[in-house]
Amino acid sequence: MTPDTDAERPDGLGQLLAMIATSRQPPIGRTLDFALVEVDRGHAVFTGTPGRSVYNPIGSVHGGYAATLLDSACGIAVHSMLAAGQGYTTLELKISYLRGLSDRSGEVRAVGRVVSVGRRVAFAEATLHDGDGRLCATASSTLLVFEQPR
């Protein structure tokens, strides 16, 4: 049964905590083999282990893999701040690649944090570290916050 009012719906953090508790992951996480492992208000952590399935033609992990983890970390950090009935979408994502990834990078960790959330726009940033703790990429994101239809 679907809740009829926002008061009956969980807020963003409640949705995410339930997702982790039941080991549900969005399809993109299954496709690229990464998962949301930690969330709190304004904070999100994803981990994944890049393998050859995400390599580009020059023999390293495609930049889109890092971008996806960073975008996810920024977005879910904002999601954790939303009231029931609100949604979001990325408007802008800026990434700085500092170190390439490979199948020897180990488990990577993308940590996102909210900088600011307003009525219509949110700002977040994220970092991506490899298995040895080296900073590999950073991101800043602007996100649109909106009311979802019931």
Side-chain angles (χ1 to χ4, degrees):
M1 185 165 150
T2 304
D4 293 326
T5 67
D6 288 345
E8 296 171 328
R9 293 167 144 179
D11 66 4
L13 182 60
Q15 293 169 9
L16 297 167
L17 290 171
M19 190 174 80
I20 290 173
T22 59
S23 298
R24 286 181 303 154
Q25 295 293 328
I28 189 69
R30 288 191 303 275
T31 299
L32 294 180
D33 194 23
F34 69 90
L36 175 64
V37 296
E38 182 182 319
V39 68
D40 201 352
R41 219 162 273 293
H43 172 82
V45 178
F46 284 86
T47 60
T49 304
R52 293 194 173 272
S53 65
V54 294
Y55 266 40
N56 59 31
I58 62 169
S60 62
V61 171
H62 190 283
Y65 179 83
T68 301
L69 268 76
L70 291 164
D71 183 43
S72 297
C74 287
I76 294 300
V78 168
H79 189 139
S80 73
M81 301 288 289
L82 299 182
Q86 287 186 307
Y88 69 95
T89 190
T90 302
L91 292 174
E92 179 181 53
L93 182 68
K94 180 193 181 301
I95 304 208
S96 296
Y97 296 97
L98 307 170
R99 177 184 301 275
L101 297 175
S102 74
D103 60 354
R104 295 176 309 281
S105 295
E107 184 179 77
V108 297
R109 184 174 176 88
V111 178
R113 76 172 188 88
V114 168
V115 175
S116 173
V117 177
R119 281 189 21 229
R120 300 281 294 153
V121 177
F123 301 92
E125 53 191 28
T127 58
L128 181 71
H129 289 83
D130 68 13
D132 290 329
R134 295 177 297 206
L135 182 62
C136 297
T138 63
S140 60
S141 182
T142 305
L143 303 99
L144 175 67
V145 176
F146 55 86
E147 296 301 315
Q148 290 185 307
R150 289 199 176 102

